[in-house]
Amino acid sequence: GCAVWPSLGSAMPRKISAVDARERETRVMAKQKSRKTERDRCKALSELEAAFKTASMPWPADRDHATEPYEDYAGVARGQCSACNACPGYQPATSLAHAPALAMLCVCCGCDCAVHEALRTRMPSSP
């Protein structure tokens, strides 16, 4: 037979181990998840902007980072966002009665309140 590889001037195909393939797959999936989170975040922020403008409220909303953490609709104090890491602390979209679906989103980052860390607001009492 003839030597195909040398005559074409290309190298032998690279062999990838199963470990390398799994690591690459993990990296690709993490990057895809990160991109999806960013797309969802941008979409939510644009919806919040439209809702604030419909209500004749200023946008961007006043991002007053109070000393006390804000509570979500269920009364759970929320802190930093673990999905996007762009948010210093949860701030609810208040005064948006015409857009109740947006009430659970954070004005700072656009992520849902559930992805913000749940904070303890009171120390447990000792018996």
Side-chain angles (χ1 to χ4, degrees):
C2 65
V4 176
W5 294 107
S7 65
L8 294 177
S10 60
M12 292 291 291
R14 182 175 173 225
K15 292 184 181 179
I16 300 173
S17 70
V19 172
D20 290 340
R22 280 192 297 274
E23 287 174 357
R24 182 179 186 285
E25 184 179 357
T26 302
R27 284 192 314 271
V28 168
M29 288 175 55
K31 195 66 159 173
Q32 288 173 341
K33 182 180 178 184
S34 173
R35 287 184 187 133
K36 181 183 182 314
T37 299
E38 188 60 25
R39 274 193 314 269
D40 293 345
R41 199 171 82 77
C42 289
K43 181 182 174 192
L45 284 172
S46 66
E47 289 173 358
L48 279 168
E49 180 181 8
F52 270 78
K53 287 183 178 180
T54 300
S56 300
M57 296 171 67
W59 181 262
D62 293 332
R63 294 182 174 129
D64 59 346
H65 300 291
T67 56
E68 292 293 318
Y70 286 102
E71 293 182 347
D72 63 8
Y73 66 96
V76 177
R78 297 289 178 174
Q80 290 182 322
C81 183
S82 60
C84 66
N85 296 323
C87 182
Y90 176 72
Q91 186 172 348
T94 57
S95 305
L96 292 181
H98 66 285
L102 300 176
M104 296 189 310
L105 300 180
C106 176
V107 172
C108 295
C109 67
C111 295
D112 191 79
C113 62
V115 297
H116 287 75
E117 65 179 335
L119 301 175
R120 282 192 199 167
T121 54
R122 295 176 206 86
M123 295 298 290
S125 58
S126 319

